[in-house]
Amino acid sequence: MPVAYYAVPSSDSRLILRDSAETISITVYSGETGTDADGSVTIGIVDTAGNTVVASSTSTTSAGSGVYTYSLAGQSNLKELVATWSGTWGSAMEFTTTTEVVGNFYCSPAEVRAMPSITGESSTFPAADLVEAIAYSTELIDNYVGTSFVQRYQRDVLNGTDSQTIRATQMFPTTLLAASIDGTALTSSEISDTALFEDGAMMRKDDVWAYTSPGNKVLIEYEYGVGKAAPADIAWCAKTLARYWLLEQVSRIPDRAISVQSEIGQIQLAQPGMNRPSPLPDVNVILNRHRHRAPTAF
């Protein structure tokens, strides 16, 4: 019975910086073995709105053992990119990966590597794991706090309001990149005349966000985030959570343990909860101080 093929994108290219040229890659597997295509592999890249960033059938570079790479030019606007990798592995196949262009990171792999119990442990914690750990900490922070502390991209599909104001799904919008109502794009002057507010409201100067049946006809693309770089305490939280995630992968403490017994007695382990997004009390205090999302009521 043949084993299904699948592709794993490089974690290094999950997030890339604005204006930074980066190499994105995938590894194609059959079972657990990286497997080369029968011939060449091509790529095509579009953004979330469907605009072409890299034309389809563009050549990639083979790095052996099923690894294929493409050198992506720096992107000036924040956006989400969808890459389609095409080749033949017995039969024609396509694999899709995503990459987001962001304004900044909360911390770097080098900063995490320098932390106690991580430094000098490259065999236990390779670079790819450090990137995954930072992605984990970033997502935990943003989901709990309710916004990003660096610039990110968002595309919303909304109902029109028949008023000058519409509310985006993300707080702290900073740049309105594009907008359309029922397929008609706002002009550059209409976009520049739209006021953006910290609560996510966007107010047009001389017109309304018209409602068009059956709804969901307003498209807005924008950048959002509290600032250009994370505050020092948020950066510390990101590094500390990343370190915690890495050490948990090799911990001998059972996942469901709530206490451990040692030579100095019983130690209670901190547990996540409604206002405790992580098992790290010091981190939770900082995240609650920065929180922009109201606690969930029970």
Side-chain angles (χ1 to χ4, degrees), residues 12 17-18 30 72 94 152 161 179 189 226 259 265 281 284 287:
D12 292 350
L17 282 176
R18 186 203 308 263
S30 174
L72 179 66
E94 289 185 348
R152 302 292 291 267
T161 60
S189 61
V226 175
S259 66
N284 296 341
L287 297 188

Side-chain angles (χ1 to χ4, degrees), residues 38-152:
D38 298 338
S40 62
V41 172
T42 62
I43 191 173
I45 302 177
V46 298
D47 63 21
T48 312
N51 301 310
T52 298
V53 176
V54 175
S56 59
S57 300
T58 298
S59 298
T60 67
T61 299
S62 172
S65 300
V67 179
Y68 295 90
T69 67
Y70 177 76
S71 297
L72 179 66
Q75 303 295 307
S76 58
N77 286 332
L78 304 190
K79 61 185 73 176
E80 291 180 357
L81 304 176
V82 180
T84 301
W85 309 73
S86 304
T88 300
W89 287 264
S91 58
M93 297 184 187
E94 289 185 348
F95 302 103
T96 300
T97 61
T98 59
T99 296
E100 183 181 353
V101 183
V102 300
N104 209 336
F105 304 126
Y106 288 169
C107 62
S108 69
E111 290 174 301
V112 176
R113 174 69 73 198
M115 299 188 76
S117 302
I118 308 299
T119 183
E121 298 291 343
S122 57
S123 59
T124 304
F125 306 115
D129 286 357
L130 270 60
V131 175
E132 290 287 346
I134 293 171
Y136 158 82
S137 64
T138 300
E139 186 172 350
L140 186 151
I141 291 169
D142 290 357
N143 285 345
Y144 183 74
V145 171
T147 191
S148 173
F149 291 92
V150 297
Q151 296 297 292
R152 302 292 291 267

Side-chain angles (χ1 to χ4, degrees), residues 195-248:
L196 309 179
F197 298 89
E198 289 185 353
D199 65 354
M202 298 185 178
M203 178 180 290
R204 300 187 65 184
K205 180 180 179 181
D206 298 316
D207 213 333
V208 300
W209 299 95
Y211 176 84
T212 305
S213 182
N216 280 351
K217 292 292 187 176
V218 174
L219 303 180
I220 54 174
E221 295 180 79
Y222 56 99
E223 298 178 8
Y224 72 96
V226 175
K228 302 296 184 182
D233 55 355
I234 290 295
W236 177 85
C237 286
K239 291 186 293 185
T240 302
L241 282 167
R243 175 181 181 271
Y244 164 79
W245 185 88
L246 289 164
L247 294 176
E248 278 294 287

Side-chain angles (χ1 to χ4, degrees), residues 9-16 22-26 70 72 85 97-101 131:
S10 168
S11 59
D12 292 350
S13 55
R14 175 183 297 177
L15 301 176
I16 60 177
E22 295 285 349
T23 297
I24 62 175
S25 71
I26 61 168
Y70 177 76
L72 179 66
W85 309 73
T97 61
T98 59
T99 296
E100 183 181 353
V101 183
V131 175

